[in-house]
Amino acid sequence: MQTKPDTKTELSFEDFKTEVLNDYKVAVTSRECSLLGRREVLTGKAKFGIFGDGKEVPQLAMAKAFKDGDFRSGYYRDQTFMMAIGELTIEQFFSGLYANTDLEIEPMSAGRQMGGHFATHSLDENGNWKNLTKQKNSSSDISPTAGQMPRLLGLAQASKIYRHVKGINTTNFSVSGNEVAWGTIGNASTSEGLFFETINAAGVLQVPMVISVWDDEYGISVHAKHQTTKENISEILKGFQRTKTSNGYEILKVKGWDYPTLIETYQEAGKISREEHVPVLIHVTELTQPQGHSTSGSHERYKSKDRLDWENEHDCNLKMREWIIANGIATEEALTAIEKDIKKQVREGKKSAWSLFINPINKDKEFLINLLTRIANASANKAFIQKIVKDLEQIEEPLRKDIISTARKTLRYIINENSVDKTRLLSWIESYMATVQPQYSSHLVSESNKSVKYIAEVKPIYNNDSENVDGRLIIRDNFNALFSKYPHLLIFGEDSGNIGDVNQGLEGMQEKYGELRVADAGIREATILGQGIGMAMRGLRPIAEIQYLDYLMYALQIISDDLATVHYRTKGRQKAPLIIRTRGHRLEGIWHSGSQMGGIINLVRGIHVLVPRNMTKAAGFYNTLLESDEPALIVECLNGYRLKEKKPSNFGLFKTPIGVVETLREGSDITLVSYGSTLRIVEQAAKDLVEVGIFAEVIDVQSLLPFDVNHDIVKSVAKTNRLLIIDEDVPGGASAYILNEILNTQNAYLHLDSQPKTLTAKPHRPAYGTDGDYFSKPSLEDIFETVYQIMHEVNPSKYAKLR
């Protein structure tokens, strides 16, 4: 351990002492919050606790190297860092534990995430970007192990784009690409594939990223010997160390209790990464976890006495305290006085946070008890109502659930009674739900004036001499228009760059717009998504290309847990308007023709899922999304790139509306609903049905999330009185979702004269070859015969049995 102050510092010794003691105060404050926070969980005031105790001192060092404009992508133990950069107070810490839904009081997530998940606000209350270069930034944390890593890559890559791509307006987002993305992860989580994928990608891309591994030798109860080869992550990553002749990482190792060396290490890492755009890995060893992994158990169950004794001796706060005394920065008595004062501050901050949380609820409780008491006194069921009122009175620290549940239960006892107070109760319940429910359910999608719902349709314009061209040329020429229109637009993915994607939809784009804007990426879908998320969070407009729909499975966890929840989990104070481009549908074989839409749409609520039937519709979706501030997945039709489409003249300008269906064929007998490539077969079946006197109305869903916001499908069903949904997904997949939307959201059952049906693929992946497709997915004959059978049941004399 270093025992002398850094003599190279420009600070006077008095200033140096002040800075050290301020750091120590932050460390002690953070530790006291952890200790008292655990108690709040165990007494029931908070639901769950996971804290940063034992990691305080290295986080102080990280905070010193962290500058305005920088971004953090970390995990749930970085509370000391957040306190050190001035973005987390004692009251906010405890408000997070109590899940206070007031964003002014609990700015991390407004109670939507458990404590330990931190964020700063990139957006103002109207959804507009703040000046990110004038503040210290933390991207919103997620719980899934190593899930923060892919996003970290994108946050770092944004600096590279801002430094090297000309023509981008960097106002609010970057100062010459000088920003560093700082990541943190526990040593056990480095076993995850997402960690290794990100490490490799950052080494290839050479981006300004500093990743800290907090190493306390355990992953919950599992020792490092079961986690990591050689029990040492920096040792096994030595092959990534850069040399004079090859790019790579700078790899640093430092003990987590050595305050002065930690500061030197982090200053060095920040300088290298910021100036040279080189990724740095800092392996912070010999850390402890004084309270164990979380409040769900005690570490005494799995740590030996020797290990526990060692942890007591090597606690980073204790070591910092010893160093302060040994170097004459403060006396034992002075530090004891500081610690005593901080304990008092933390207790008072906890008390204040609890009052802010419980007082509004108690006011609602008092109001309701008074109202229900009056209702009980006038009710024939007085005794029953008094019982539930008494139950509520006895709850000393009620939740909102307790209050609204009591109010709603009371209604059961006054069903047949009428009074002014009953009317007041009904009104109060409606008002309460209308006020409280959004505190838990708002901002799943954008609520700003850039929401897709405000972007009107603009139709493609066709000239008299418009030619029919391959669909790939439609998408290519539209991308060309978009790259010219939006200097901050980027696209990247497997084969996206040099060859212009596997279907030539980006032909010539890299040559024209450069390798940074139109880029190839390795076979690493999760970090392709992460690049997009991070860059979108820093004001760029990325399109992350996943080569085929099937490969989206590699990135689905990142899409679901990170991208789809960014806006929701920050209550609208961060956004990542990433567009995911992929292709799928109606090819042959298990791996390139399966449709996972049923799974996808139920895992990615929070992003739009768009399923255009051709390239003109797809191009229109890109044009719409780039005027919005929302993320989306666009699934292009794989068999549509060589099909002919009429060439528009207004590339980059026409817009496909999102959440709006399109009626492709008018009919009076039955409504046929589908999307994507299957629509071509549906349309042909509708033509064939005319030959037997059946007139089908064909509707293209276009957008699965959101779905038919104008409720146009129910209008069709009201006309035809019959419904068939055709889908290449497996039974119970997207077709079940569509059916639920039509029947339960749009109440189309009121208009049905026949059983609504779905026609889907067989309950397995499609077999290979043309015959495999025919016998695995709905065929033209399947559609024809299913519709005919429905009509036979309606009028067997007119439609004789087919087979």
Side-chain angles (χ1 to χ4, degrees), residues 470-472 475 501-503 547-549 581-587 592 610-619 621-622 634-643 645 674-680 700 702 728:
D470 288 349
R472 75 168 187 90
I475 206 80
D501 88 41
V502 290
N503 297 100
Q547 195 163 78
Y548 296 112
L549 180 64
R581 182 192 185 206
T582 190
R583 48 191 69 79
H585 308 311
R586 302 305 306 201
L587 273 198
H592 289 334
L610 311 176
V611 282
R613 68 179 181 274
N614 59 35
M615 297 306 146
T616 303
K617 288 292 182 180
F621 278 138
Y622 289 112
I634 299 178
V635 185
E636 297 171 12
C637 293
L638 242 173
N639 59 0
Y641 296 106
R642 302 295 174 182
L643 295 178
E645 298 181 35
S674 191
Y675 62 88
S677 295
T678 305
L679 271 167
R680 297 188 185 94
D700 179 5
Q702 299 198 105
E728 65 174 22

Side-chain angles (χ1 to χ4, degrees), residues 188-208:
S189 296
T190 63
S191 301
E192 291 278 10
L194 292 176
F195 173 81
F196 282 97
E197 187 173 321
T198 304
I199 289 292
N200 180 59
V204 170
L205 292 171
Q206 288 293 284
V207 292

Side-chain angles (χ1 to χ4, degrees), residues 345-616:
Q345 290 178 37
V346 171
R347 286 195 302 270
E348 290 174 349
K350 185 264 306 183
K351 183 179 178 181
S352 173
W354 180 249
S355 295
L356 289 169
F357 174 75
I358 200 67
N359 287 347
I361 300 176
N362 276 329
K363 286 181 180 178
D364 291 337
K365 171 187 170 183
E366 182 181 354
F367 174 86
L368 183 63
I369 287 173
N370 290 334
L371 177 57
L372 296 187
T373 298
R374 293 199 303 271
I375 290 173
N377 290 335
S379 173
N381 291 310
K382 178 178 180 179
F384 295 102
I385 299 172
Q386 285 179 330
K387 170 65 168 61
I388 61 174
V389 170
K390 184 177 181 181
D391 289 342
L392 179 59
E393 286 176 328
Q394 291 178 340
I395 302 175
E396 293 183 4
E397 296 170 339
L399 299 175
R400 292 187 176 95
K401 175 189 80 70
D402 301 316
I403 294 170
I404 190 64
S405 175
T406 299
R408 294 169 73 181
K409 284 178 182 176
T410 302
L411 295 178
R412 305 172 191 176
Y413 300 108
I414 56 174
I415 293 173
N416 297 315
E417 298 178 8
N418 291 297
S419 68
V420 172
D421 284 326
K422 178 183 177 179
T423 301
R424 287 175 181 159
L425 177 61
L426 290 168
S427 177
W428 184 87
I429 291 172
E430 291 300 316
S431 175
Y432 194 84
M433 292 299 292
T435 301
V436 173
Q437 183 67 56
Q439 295 179 30
Y440 304 94
S441 304
S442 69
H443 294 88
L444 180 64
V445 296
S446 174
E447 297 183 9
S448 79
N449 58 11
K450 295 183 178 66
S451 166
V452 296
K453 65 185 177 183
Y454 298 125
I455 300 175
E457 178 180 15
V458 176
K459 293 186 179 296
I461 296 173
Y462 300 101
N463 301 325
N464 292 332
D465 59 348
S466 292
E467 58 182 326
N468 287 323
V469 298
D470 288 349
R472 75 168 187 90
L473 298 179
I474 303 289
I475 206 80
R476 182 200 68 182
D477 291 353
N478 194 73
F479 275 134
N480 182 50
L482 292 176
F483 280 118
S484 297
K485 184 178 181 180
Y486 299 106
H488 59 322
L489 175 63
L490 319 161
I491 191 166
F492 44 90
E494 297 156 17
D495 300 307
S496 301
N498 184 44
I499 68 169
D501 88 41
V502 290
N503 297 100
Q504 298 289 278
L506 293 168
E507 180 187 24
M509 294 299 106
Q510 186 181 78
E511 184 178 359
K512 187 171 184 179
Y513 297 104
E515 294 184 3
L516 287 176
R517 292 190 67 193
V518 184
D520 286 310
I523 301 177
R524 46 174 182 79
E525 285 79 8
T527 45
I528 289 173
L529 257 295
Q531 286 176 247
I533 296 170
M535 287 195 283
M537 294 182 86
R538 290 192 57 192
L540 296 168
R541 289 311 305 262
I543 300 175
E545 183 168 328
I546 302 299
Q547 195 163 78
Y548 296 112
L549 180 64
D550 307 67
Y551 301 164
L552 201 72
M553 299 301 104
Y554 286 102
L556 191 55
Q557 185 265 324
I558 298 301
I559 299 170
S560 177
D561 290 328
D562 197 352
L563 177 61
T565 67
V566 167
H567 204 60
Y568 171 78
R569 72 179 188 262
T570 61
K571 203 174 184 180
R573 293 308 174 94
Q574 289 186 4
K575 63 183 176 182
L578 166 65
I579 301 172
I580 306 167
R581 182 192 185 206
T582 190
R583 48 191 69 79
H585 308 311
R586 302 305 306 201
L587 273 198
E588 299 165 359
I590 294 174
W591 308 120
H592 289 334
S593 61
S595 178
Q596 301 89 4
M597 298 309 300
I600 291 168
I601 58 179
N602 288 298
L603 289 169
V604 303
R605 303 299 172 95
I607 72 171
H608 301 315
V609 177
L610 311 176
V611 282
R613 68 179 181 274
N614 59 35
M615 297 306 146
T616 303

